Amino acid sequence: MVDQNPKYLFTKRGVYYFSRRVPKALQPSFNKTRVVVCLRTRSPAKAQKAADQLAALLESVWNQALIERLGLRVLPGSPITPESGHERQEPQAAVRLSDAYDIYVRLKGRGKGKAFRAYTDRNLGYALECLGNASIAAIGRADAGRFRDYLIGKGLTTSSIQRVFATVRAAINIAISEHGLDCTNPFSGTFIPEVGERRVRPPIPDGDILSIQRACISADDDRRWLIALISDTGLRLAEAAGLVRSDFNLNGDIPYVQVRAHPWRTLKTPSSVRAVPLVGASLWAARRALDAVAGEFIFPSYASKKGTNANSASAALNKWLRVRLPKGCVIHSFRHSMRDRLRAVECPADIVDAIGGWTTQGIGHAYGTGYPLDVKQRWLAKVVLINSEGFDHALSETLAHQRVEDDLRRRLAHPTSISGPRR
Protein backbone atom coordinates (compact mmCIF):
# COMPACT_ATOMS: atom_id res chain seq x y z
CA MET A 1 0.00 0.00 0.00
CA VAL A 2 1.20 3.51 -0.79
CA ASP A 3 -0.03 4.91 2.54
CA GLN A 4 2.22 2.51 4.43
CA ASN A 5 5.24 4.25 2.91
CA PRO A 6 6.14 7.21 5.17
CA LYS A 7 7.90 8.91 2.28
CA TYR A 8 4.63 9.22 0.29
CA LEU A 9 6.49 7.98 -2.79
CA PHE A 10 6.01 5.33 -5.42
CA THR A 11 7.57 4.75 -8.82
CA LYS A 12 6.03 4.16 -12.21
CA ARG A 13 8.34 3.19 -15.07
CA GLY A 14 11.24 4.49 -12.97
CA VAL A 15 9.72 7.95 -12.39
CA TYR A 16 8.81 8.98 -8.85
CA TYR A 17 5.30 10.04 -7.86
CA PHE A 18 3.98 11.66 -4.69
CA SER A 19 0.82 10.14 -3.23
CA ARG A 20 -1.02 11.03 -0.05
CA ARG A 21 -4.58 10.43 1.13
CA VAL A 22 -6.74 13.48 1.84
CA PRO A 23 -8.05 13.49 5.45
CA LYS A 24 -11.52 11.94 5.50
CA ALA A 25 -13.13 15.03 7.00
CA LEU A 26 -11.82 17.17 4.12
CA GLN A 27 -12.51 14.83 1.21
CA PRO A 28 -15.91 16.42 0.39
CA SER A 29 -14.32 19.91 0.32
CA PHE A 30 -11.44 18.85 -1.94
CA ASN A 31 -13.59 16.58 -4.12
CA LYS A 32 -10.96 13.83 -4.08
CA THR A 33 -9.67 11.15 -1.77
CA ARG A 34 -6.01 11.23 -2.74
CA VAL A 35 -3.43 13.71 -4.03
CA VAL A 36 -1.13 12.19 -6.68
CA VAL A 37 1.60 14.29 -8.33
CA CYS A 38 4.27 13.27 -10.82
CA LEU A 39 7.63 14.56 -9.50
CA ARG A 40 9.33 14.25 -12.92
CA THR A 41 12.52 12.78 -11.54
CA ARG A 42 14.22 9.38 -11.29
CA SER A 43 16.50 10.50 -8.47
CA PRO A 44 15.49 9.14 -5.01
CA ALA A 45 17.10 12.09 -3.22
CA LYS A 46 15.38 14.71 -5.38
CA ALA A 47 12.09 12.85 -5.12
CA GLN A 48 12.27 12.69 -1.33
CA LYS A 49 13.07 16.40 -1.11
CA ALA A 50 10.13 17.30 -3.36
CA ALA A 51 7.84 14.95 -1.42
CA ASP A 52 8.80 16.58 1.89
CA GLN A 53 8.02 20.02 0.47
CA LEU A 54 4.65 18.88 -0.90
CA ALA A 55 3.80 17.15 2.38
CA ALA A 56 4.58 20.31 4.34
CA LEU A 57 2.49 22.38 1.95
CA LEU A 58 -0.49 20.01 2.17
CA GLU A 59 -0.25 19.92 5.97
CA SER A 60 -0.46 23.70 6.04
CA VAL A 61 -3.45 23.79 3.67
CA TRP A 62 -5.30 20.99 5.47
CA ASN A 63 -4.71 22.45 8.93
CA GLN A 64 -6.06 25.81 7.77
CA ALA A 65 -9.10 24.10 6.25
CA LEU A 66 -9.79 22.15 9.47
CA ILE A 67 -9.54 25.35 11.53
CA GLU A 68 -11.99 27.10 9.22
CA ARG A 69 -14.44 24.15 9.51
CA LEU A 70 -14.46 24.80 13.26
CA GLY A 71 -15.42 28.42 12.63
CA LEU A 72 -12.05 29.74 13.74
CA ARG A 73 -9.39 31.68 11.93
CA VAL A 74 -6.10 33.29 12.85
CA LEU A 75 -6.22 37.06 12.50
CA PRO A 76 -3.56 38.48 10.12
CA GLY A 77 -0.55 39.76 12.00
CA SER A 78 -1.52 37.98 15.26
CA PRO A 79 1.79 37.19 17.01
CA ILE A 80 0.47 34.74 19.66
CA THR A 81 -1.19 31.34 19.37
CA PRO A 82 -3.64 30.54 22.17
CA GLU A 83 -2.29 27.01 22.50
CA SER A 84 1.39 27.73 23.17
CA GLY A 85 1.64 31.40 24.09
CA HIS A 86 4.78 31.58 21.93
CA GLU A 87 5.37 33.61 18.80
CA ARG A 88 3.50 32.13 15.87
CA GLN A 89 5.87 30.63 13.31
CA GLU A 90 5.12 31.62 9.75
CA PRO A 91 4.43 28.50 7.65
CA GLN A 92 6.81 28.01 4.76
CA ALA A 93 3.88 27.88 2.34
CA ALA A 94 2.99 31.47 3.29
CA VAL A 95 6.21 32.93 1.83
CA ARG A 96 5.47 33.64 -1.81
CA LEU A 97 7.09 35.22 -4.85
CA SER A 98 5.49 38.57 -4.06
CA ASP A 99 7.10 38.43 -0.60
CA ALA A 100 10.49 37.79 -2.23
CA TYR A 101 9.91 40.84 -4.42
CA ASP A 102 9.08 43.06 -1.42
CA ILE A 103 12.14 41.92 0.55
CA TYR A 104 14.46 42.31 -2.44
CA VAL A 105 13.30 45.86 -3.19
CA ARG A 106 13.44 46.86 0.47
CA LEU A 107 16.92 45.50 1.17
CA LYS A 108 18.68 45.80 -2.18
CA GLY A 109 16.92 48.87 -3.52
CA ARG A 110 18.25 51.31 -0.95
CA GLY A 111 20.09 54.14 -2.65
CA LYS A 112 19.38 52.68 -6.09
CA GLY A 113 17.86 54.74 -8.87
CA LYS A 114 14.74 54.27 -10.97
CA ALA A 115 16.55 51.82 -13.24
CA PHE A 116 16.88 49.29 -10.40
CA ARG A 117 13.16 49.37 -9.71
CA ALA A 118 12.36 49.18 -13.42
CA TYR A 119 14.36 46.04 -14.17
CA THR A 120 13.34 44.43 -10.86
CA ASP A 121 9.68 44.99 -11.70
CA ARG A 122 10.24 43.59 -15.18
CA ASN A 123 12.28 40.53 -14.23
CA LEU A 124 10.26 39.45 -11.19
CA GLY A 125 7.12 40.36 -13.10
CA TYR A 126 8.03 37.70 -15.65
CA ALA A 127 8.23 35.11 -12.84
CA LEU A 128 4.85 36.13 -11.44
CA GLU A 129 3.28 35.99 -14.92
CA CYS A 130 4.62 32.51 -15.56
CA LEU A 131 4.39 30.85 -12.14
CA GLY A 132 1.74 32.93 -10.42
CA ASN A 133 2.21 34.05 -6.83
CA ALA A 134 3.50 30.60 -5.91
CA SER A 135 4.86 29.52 -2.55
CA ILE A 136 8.66 29.57 -2.70
CA ALA A 137 8.87 26.24 -0.87
CA ALA A 138 6.63 24.64 -3.50
CA ILE A 139 8.59 25.86 -6.55
CA GLY A 140 10.75 23.07 -7.97
CA ARG A 141 13.37 22.57 -10.65
CA ALA A 142 10.66 21.72 -13.16
CA ASP A 143 9.07 25.13 -12.53
CA ALA A 144 12.42 26.86 -13.12
CA GLY A 145 12.70 25.00 -16.42
CA ARG A 146 9.15 26.01 -17.34
CA PHE A 147 10.04 29.62 -16.54
CA ARG A 148 13.10 29.40 -18.81
CA ASP A 149 10.94 28.06 -21.64
CA TYR A 150 8.42 30.85 -21.02
CA LEU A 151 11.17 33.46 -21.47
CA ILE A 152 12.40 31.75 -24.63
CA GLY A 153 8.83 31.84 -25.93
CA LYS A 154 8.74 35.60 -25.34
CA GLY A 155 11.70 35.95 -27.72
CA LEU A 156 14.37 36.82 -25.14
CA THR A 157 17.98 36.04 -26.02
CA THR A 158 20.30 33.95 -23.87
CA SER A 159 21.96 36.96 -22.27
CA SER A 160 18.58 38.53 -21.44
CA ILE A 161 17.30 35.29 -19.90
CA GLN A 162 20.46 35.05 -17.80
CA ARG A 163 19.88 38.57 -16.48
CA VAL A 164 16.27 37.77 -15.60
CA PHE A 165 17.31 34.58 -13.81
CA ALA A 166 20.01 36.50 -11.91
CA THR A 167 17.41 38.90 -10.47
CA VAL A 168 14.90 36.16 -9.62
CA ARG A 169 17.62 33.97 -8.11
CA ALA A 170 18.89 36.83 -5.93
CA ALA A 171 15.37 37.68 -4.69
CA ILE A 172 14.65 34.03 -3.83
CA ASN A 173 17.98 33.68 -2.00
CA ILE A 174 17.22 36.69 0.19
CA ALA A 175 13.70 35.43 0.93
CA ILE A 176 15.00 31.98 1.89
CA SER A 177 17.58 33.55 4.18
CA GLU A 178 15.26 36.14 5.77
CA HIS A 179 12.45 33.67 6.48
CA GLY A 180 14.70 30.72 7.36
CA LEU A 181 13.06 28.48 4.79
CA ASP A 182 14.14 24.86 4.63
CA CYS A 183 14.56 24.66 0.87
CA THR A 184 17.09 25.33 -1.85
CA ASN A 185 16.83 27.88 -4.62
CA PRO A 186 15.22 26.13 -7.62
CA PHE A 187 16.55 28.82 -9.98
CA SER A 188 20.18 27.92 -9.30
CA GLY A 189 21.91 25.86 -11.96
CA THR A 190 19.10 25.97 -14.52
CA PHE A 191 20.49 25.23 -17.97
CA ILE A 192 19.92 28.07 -20.44
CA PRO A 193 20.60 27.21 -24.10
CA GLU A 194 21.91 29.58 -26.75
CA VAL A 195 18.86 31.27 -28.25
CA GLY A 196 18.38 34.42 -30.28
CA GLU A 197 20.96 36.49 -32.04
CA ARG A 198 23.45 38.07 -29.71
CA ARG A 199 23.80 41.76 -30.48
CA VAL A 200 27.40 42.89 -30.48
CA ARG A 201 27.87 46.64 -30.32
CA PRO A 202 30.68 47.55 -32.74
CA PRO A 203 33.47 49.93 -31.69
CA ILE A 204 33.88 53.28 -33.43
CA PRO A 205 36.85 53.54 -35.84
CA ASP A 206 39.49 56.11 -34.90
CA GLY A 207 38.76 58.19 -37.99
CA ASP A 208 35.11 58.54 -37.03
CA ILE A 209 36.04 59.41 -33.44
CA LEU A 210 38.32 62.18 -34.70
CA SER A 211 35.57 63.45 -37.01
CA ILE A 212 33.09 63.53 -34.12
CA GLN A 213 35.56 65.35 -31.90
CA ARG A 214 36.09 68.04 -34.56
CA ALA A 215 32.30 68.34 -34.96
CA CYS A 216 32.04 68.81 -31.18
CA ILE A 217 34.54 71.68 -31.40
CA SER A 218 32.50 73.25 -34.18
CA ALA A 219 29.19 73.03 -32.29
CA ASP A 220 30.79 73.92 -28.92
CA ASP A 221 27.70 73.42 -26.71
CA ASP A 222 26.79 71.36 -23.65
CA ARG A 223 25.74 68.24 -25.57
CA ARG A 224 28.96 68.20 -27.58
CA TRP A 225 31.02 68.78 -24.40
CA LEU A 226 29.38 65.66 -22.95
CA ILE A 227 30.21 63.60 -26.06
CA ALA A 228 33.80 64.88 -26.18
CA LEU A 229 34.27 64.18 -22.46
CA ILE A 230 33.20 60.57 -22.95
CA SER A 231 35.21 60.08 -26.17
CA ASP A 232 38.65 60.24 -24.52
CA THR A 233 37.80 58.90 -21.04
CA GLY A 234 35.51 55.94 -21.72
CA LEU A 235 33.12 57.09 -18.99
CA ARG A 236 29.63 55.64 -18.95
CA LEU A 237 27.01 58.14 -20.04
CA ALA A 238 25.33 58.25 -16.62
CA GLU A 239 28.72 58.72 -14.94
CA ALA A 240 29.52 61.72 -17.13
CA ALA A 241 26.04 63.27 -17.09
CA GLY A 242 25.91 63.27 -13.28
CA LEU A 243 29.23 65.04 -12.71
CA VAL A 244 29.46 68.19 -10.61
CA ARG A 245 32.10 70.92 -10.40
CA SER A 246 33.81 69.36 -7.37
CA ASP A 247 34.46 66.13 -9.34
CA PHE A 248 37.01 67.93 -11.53
CA ASN A 249 40.57 68.90 -10.71
CA LEU A 250 42.23 70.85 -13.51
CA ASN A 251 44.76 72.76 -11.44
CA GLY A 252 47.29 70.03 -10.68
CA ASP A 253 50.06 68.60 -12.82
CA ILE A 254 47.65 65.92 -14.03
CA PRO A 255 44.08 67.14 -14.74
CA TYR A 256 41.53 64.46 -13.84
CA VAL A 257 37.88 63.75 -13.10
CA GLN A 258 36.85 61.82 -10.01
CA VAL A 259 34.06 59.30 -10.66
CA ARG A 260 32.16 58.68 -7.41
CA ALA A 261 28.64 57.98 -6.25
CA HIS A 262 26.25 60.87 -5.58
CA PRO A 263 22.71 60.94 -4.17
CA TRP A 264 21.45 61.86 -7.66
CA ARG A 265 23.55 59.24 -9.48
CA THR A 266 24.72 55.87 -8.18
CA LEU A 267 27.48 53.80 -9.76
CA LYS A 268 27.10 50.45 -11.47
CA THR A 269 29.76 48.57 -9.48
CA PRO A 270 32.17 49.29 -6.59
CA SER A 271 35.05 49.25 -9.10
CA SER A 272 33.41 52.18 -10.93
CA VAL A 273 34.84 54.53 -8.29
CA ARG A 274 38.02 55.87 -9.89
CA ALA A 275 40.03 58.91 -10.98
CA VAL A 276 40.42 59.26 -14.75
CA PRO A 277 43.08 61.59 -16.23
CA LEU A 278 41.75 64.14 -18.70
CA VAL A 279 43.52 64.23 -22.06
CA GLY A 280 42.70 65.33 -25.59
CA ALA A 281 39.00 65.91 -26.24
CA SER A 282 38.03 65.17 -22.66
CA LEU A 283 40.35 67.88 -21.31
CA TRP A 284 39.03 70.39 -23.86
CA ALA A 285 35.42 69.52 -22.95
CA ALA A 286 36.07 69.78 -19.21
CA ARG A 287 37.63 73.24 -19.59
CA ARG A 288 34.82 74.51 -21.80
CA ALA A 289 32.08 73.16 -19.52
CA LEU A 290 33.64 74.46 -16.31
CA ASP A 291 34.12 77.91 -17.85
CA ALA A 292 30.60 78.13 -19.26
CA VAL A 293 28.48 76.57 -16.51
CA ALA A 294 27.89 78.68 -13.41
CA GLY A 295 26.10 76.17 -11.20
CA GLU A 296 27.14 72.99 -9.41
CA PHE A 297 26.01 70.55 -12.09
CA ILE A 298 28.16 70.41 -15.22
CA PHE A 299 25.30 69.12 -17.38
CA PRO A 300 22.16 70.61 -15.76
CA SER A 301 20.01 69.53 -18.72
CA TYR A 302 20.36 65.94 -17.56
CA ALA A 303 21.22 66.06 -13.85
CA SER A 304 19.97 67.78 -10.72
CA LYS A 305 19.58 66.91 -7.07
CA LYS A 306 16.39 65.07 -8.04
CA GLY A 307 18.32 62.57 -10.18
CA THR A 308 20.23 61.93 -13.40
CA ASN A 309 18.27 61.29 -16.59
CA ALA A 310 20.73 59.23 -18.63
CA ASN A 311 17.93 57.94 -20.90
CA SER A 312 17.06 61.46 -22.00
CA ALA A 313 20.74 62.22 -22.61
CA SER A 314 21.15 59.02 -24.60
CA ALA A 315 18.16 59.79 -26.85
CA ALA A 316 19.35 63.34 -27.57
CA LEU A 317 22.99 62.46 -28.20
CA ASN A 318 22.28 59.38 -30.31
CA LYS A 319 19.95 61.40 -32.53
CA TRP A 320 22.86 63.73 -33.36
CA LEU A 321 25.38 60.88 -33.65
CA ARG A 322 23.25 58.59 -35.82
CA VAL A 323 24.15 60.29 -39.11
CA ARG A 324 27.80 60.70 -38.12
CA LEU A 325 28.68 57.19 -36.94
CA PRO A 326 28.77 53.77 -38.61
CA LYS A 327 25.63 51.66 -38.42
CA GLY A 328 25.08 50.12 -34.99
CA CYS A 329 27.29 52.61 -33.14
CA VAL A 330 25.80 54.72 -30.35
CA ILE A 331 27.08 56.93 -27.53
CA HIS A 332 28.00 53.85 -25.46
CA SER A 333 30.23 52.67 -28.32
CA PHE A 334 32.84 55.22 -27.26
CA ARG A 335 33.35 53.11 -24.14
CA HIS A 336 33.83 49.95 -26.21
CA SER A 337 36.20 51.86 -28.48
CA MET A 338 38.31 53.06 -25.56
CA ARG A 339 38.95 49.46 -24.57
CA ASP A 340 40.03 48.63 -28.13
CA ARG A 341 42.19 51.76 -28.39
CA LEU A 342 44.04 50.81 -25.21
CA ARG A 343 44.43 47.23 -26.43
CA ALA A 344 45.97 48.57 -29.66
CA VAL A 345 48.82 50.20 -27.72
CA GLU A 346 49.27 47.00 -25.65
CA CYS A 347 48.05 48.57 -22.42
CA PRO A 348 47.95 45.92 -19.63
CA ALA A 349 44.42 44.62 -19.02
CA ASP A 350 44.31 45.60 -15.34
CA ILE A 351 45.26 49.20 -16.21
CA VAL A 352 42.50 49.20 -18.85
CA ASP A 353 40.10 48.05 -16.11
CA ALA A 354 41.33 50.80 -13.78
CA ILE A 355 40.71 53.48 -16.42
CA GLY A 356 37.29 52.21 -17.45
CA GLY A 357 36.04 51.12 -14.03
CA TRP A 358 35.69 47.48 -15.04
CA THR A 359 36.02 44.80 -12.38
CA THR A 360 39.36 42.98 -12.42
CA GLN A 361 39.14 39.35 -11.31
CA GLY A 362 41.31 38.10 -8.47
CA ILE A 363 41.51 38.80 -4.75
CA GLY A 364 44.84 40.62 -4.99
CA HIS A 365 43.38 43.35 -7.20
CA ALA A 366 41.17 44.49 -4.31
CA TYR A 367 44.23 45.37 -2.19
CA GLY A 368 45.86 48.79 -2.16
CA THR A 369 44.72 52.05 -3.74
CA GLY A 370 45.19 51.09 -7.39
CA TYR A 371 47.23 52.65 -10.17
CA PRO A 372 48.40 56.27 -9.69
CA LEU A 373 47.21 59.01 -12.03
CA ASP A 374 50.51 59.34 -13.87
CA VAL A 375 50.43 55.68 -14.95
CA LYS A 376 46.90 55.98 -16.31
CA GLN A 377 47.70 59.30 -17.97
CA ARG A 378 50.74 57.80 -19.70
CA TRP A 379 48.61 55.14 -21.37
CA LEU A 380 45.73 57.46 -22.22
CA ALA A 381 48.18 59.87 -23.87
CA LYS A 382 49.10 57.07 -26.29
CA VAL A 383 45.54 56.80 -27.64
CA VAL A 384 44.77 60.52 -27.95
CA LEU A 385 43.86 61.37 -31.53
CA ILE A 386 44.48 65.09 -31.11
CA ASN A 387 46.05 66.69 -28.05
CA SER A 388 44.59 69.56 -26.03
CA GLU A 389 46.82 72.14 -27.74
CA GLY A 390 45.61 70.82 -31.06
CA PHE A 391 42.04 71.24 -29.86
CA ASP A 392 42.71 74.84 -28.91
CA HIS A 393 44.26 75.44 -32.35
CA ALA A 394 41.45 73.58 -34.11
CA LEU A 395 38.89 75.59 -32.18
CA SER A 396 40.53 78.85 -33.28
CA GLU A 397 40.64 77.67 -36.89
CA THR A 398 37.04 76.53 -36.76
CA LEU A 399 35.81 79.79 -35.30
CA ALA A 400 37.80 81.78 -37.89
CA HIS A 401 36.37 79.61 -40.66
CA GLN A 402 32.87 80.17 -39.32
CA ARG A 403 33.41 83.93 -39.31
CA VAL A 404 34.45 83.77 -42.99
CA GLU A 405 31.39 81.67 -43.85
CA ASP A 406 29.07 84.04 -41.95
CA ASP A 407 30.58 87.01 -43.76
CA LEU A 408 30.15 85.28 -47.12
CA ARG A 409 26.51 84.47 -46.38
CA ARG A 410 25.91 88.07 -45.39
CA ARG A 411 27.47 89.31 -48.63
CA LEU A 412 25.46 86.89 -50.74
CA ALA A 413 22.32 88.06 -49.03
CA HIS A 414 23.23 91.67 -49.97
CA PRO A 415 24.83 91.63 -53.49
CA THR A 416 25.56 95.37 -53.41
CA SER A 417 28.17 94.74 -50.73
CA ILE A 418 30.09 92.58 -53.23
CA SER A 419 29.80 94.67 -56.43
CA GLY A 420 30.17 97.98 -54.68
CA PRO A 421 27.90 101.01 -54.88
CA ARG A 422 26.10 101.80 -58.14
CA ARG A 423 27.37 104.71 -60.21
Side-chain angles (χ1 to χ4, degrees):
M1 293 290 292
V2 171
D3 285 344
Q4 294 175 350
N5 184 351
K7 298 179 180 180
Y8 307 115
L9 293 172
F10 72 93
T11 59
K12 186 174 181 181
R13 291 190 290 275
V15 178
Y16 279 90
Y17 284 73
F18 172 89
S19 175
R20 188 170 181 184
R21 184 180 294 277
V22 179
K24 192 170 183 179
L26 297 177
Q27 288 178 6
S29 300
F30 285 85
N31 198 28
K32 61 173 61 178
T33 60
R34 182 177 295 279
V35 175
V36 180
V37 178
C38 176
L39 300 179
R40 300 180 183 179
T41 182
R42 297 175 183 269
S43 167
K46 291 182 179 180
Q48 186 58 62
K49 188 170 186 177
D52 291 342
Q53 292 176 351
L54 280 172
L57 178 61
L58 287 174
E59 287 286 352
S60 175
V61 172
W62 289 341
N63 287 340
Q64 184 66 30
L66 287 171
I67 290 173
E68 290 176 356
R69 284 174 65 88
L70 295 174
L72 303 173
R73 69 186 180 92
V74 179
L75 292 175
S78 176
I80 305 297
T81 59
E83 294 85 357
S84 64
H86 297 296
E87 289 189 7
R88 178 170 58 87
Q89 296 295 316
E90 186 175 25
Q92 293 197 22
V95 183
R96 300 183 176 275
L97 275 174
S98 59
D99 301 312
Y101 167 84
D102 293 337
I103 296 171
Y104 185 72
V105 170
R106 176 168 58 86
L107 297 181
K108 297 285 287 186
R110 290 183 179 181
K112 301 292 179 65
K114 295 180 181 179
F116 171 84
R117 188 61 179 263
Y119 72 69
T120 299
D121 287 351
R122 181 187 65 240
N123 295 349
L124 286 173
Y126 286 150
L128 287 166
E129 287 175 12
C130 176
L131 305 176
N133 194 17
S135 165
I136 291 175
I139 299 174
R141 294 280 186 181
D143 297 308
R146 181 159 59 91
F147 181 47
R148 172 204 59 211
D149 296 340
Y150 167 81
L151 296 175
I152 293 174
K154 289 183 73 69
L156 272 67
T157 63
T158 297
S159 58
S160 296
I161 295 172
Q162 289 171 342
R163 284 193 291 270
V164 172
F165 261 74
T167 302
V168 175
R169 188 165 53 245
I172 297 297
N173 278 336
I174 291 178
I176 290 173
S177 175
E178 289 292 308
H179 288 277
L181 303 183
D182 184 21
C183 62
T184 58
N185 193 330
F187 296 94
S188 297
T190 303
F191 176 75
I192 300 175
E194 288 292 332
V195 292
E197 183 179 352
R198 184 181 178 184
R199 186 179 65 178
V200 178
R201 184 171 285 122
I204 306 171
D206 287 358
D208 292 296
I209 293 175
L210 183 57
S211 175
I212 291 295
Q213 290 175 341
R214 291 187 180 277
C216 289
I217 293 174
S218 179
D220 195 26
D221 59 17
D222 59 343
R223 291 183 180 179
R224 263 46 65 172
W225 299 334
L226 182 51
I227 294 172
L229 179 65
I230 290 171
S231 70
D232 273 345
T233 57
L235 265 62
R236 298 179 178 92
L237 178 56
E239 291 174 344
L243 291 170
V244 291
R245 186 171 293 273
S246 59
D247 291 329
F248 289 87
N249 186 333
L250 304 186
N251 297 323
D253 294 335
I254 301 176
Y256 68 92
V257 59
Q258 180 69 47
V259 181
R260 52 192 166 189
H262 290 297
W264 54 87
R265 190 260 289 127
T266 57
L267 297 179
K268 187 174 183 180
T269 61
S271 58
S272 298
V273 178
R274 64 199 188 279
V276 183
L278 294 168
V279 296
S282 63
L283 181 55
W284 170 83
R287 286 172 174 167
R288 294 291 298 126
L290 289 170
D291 287 343
V293 178
E296 177 185 11
F297 289 89
I298 303 301
F299 302 105
S301 299
Y302 306 118
S304 68
K305 290 187 176 180
K306 295 181 179 180
T308 301
N309 195 342
N311 289 336
S312 176
S314 177
L317 301 183
N318 283 328
K319 183 178 180 180
W320 185 79
L321 289 169
R322 190 171 296 118
V323 297
R324 294 171 172 84
L325 290 178
K327 184 178 180 180
C329 291
V330 292
I331 184 66
H332 192 68
S333 300
F334 284 106
R335 183 167 169 81
H336 289 243
S337 301
M338 177 54 70
R339 183 129 201 152
D340 271 356
R341 290 161 66 188
L342 289 168
R343 283 192 187 109
V345 295
E346 299 180 345
C347 178
D350 49 348
I351 298 180
V352 176
D353 292 338
I355 292 171
W358 289 285
T359 301
T360 302
Q361 300 299 322
I363 296 176
H365 291 287
Y367 295 171
T369 58
Y371 286 97
L373 279 172
D374 61 330
V375 173
K376 290 186 279 189
Q377 185 196 44
R378 190 162 63 247
W379 285 103
L380 281 172
K382 294 183 178 184
V383 301
V384 167
L385 301 174
I386 179 171
N387 58 35
S388 57
E389 290 77 12
F391 268 95
D392 293 337
H393 178 68
L395 178 58
S396 299
E397 284 188 339
T398 299
L399 294 176
H401 183 66
Q402 286 178 343
R403 283 193 293 268
V404 171
E405 286 186 343
D406 292 342
D407 184 62
L408 180 59
R409 291 192 190 96
R410 180 177 55 80
R411 288 173 175 271
L412 290 174
H414 303 282
T416 56
S417 63
I418 299 177
S419 58
R422 292 181 181 177
R423 300 189 179 209

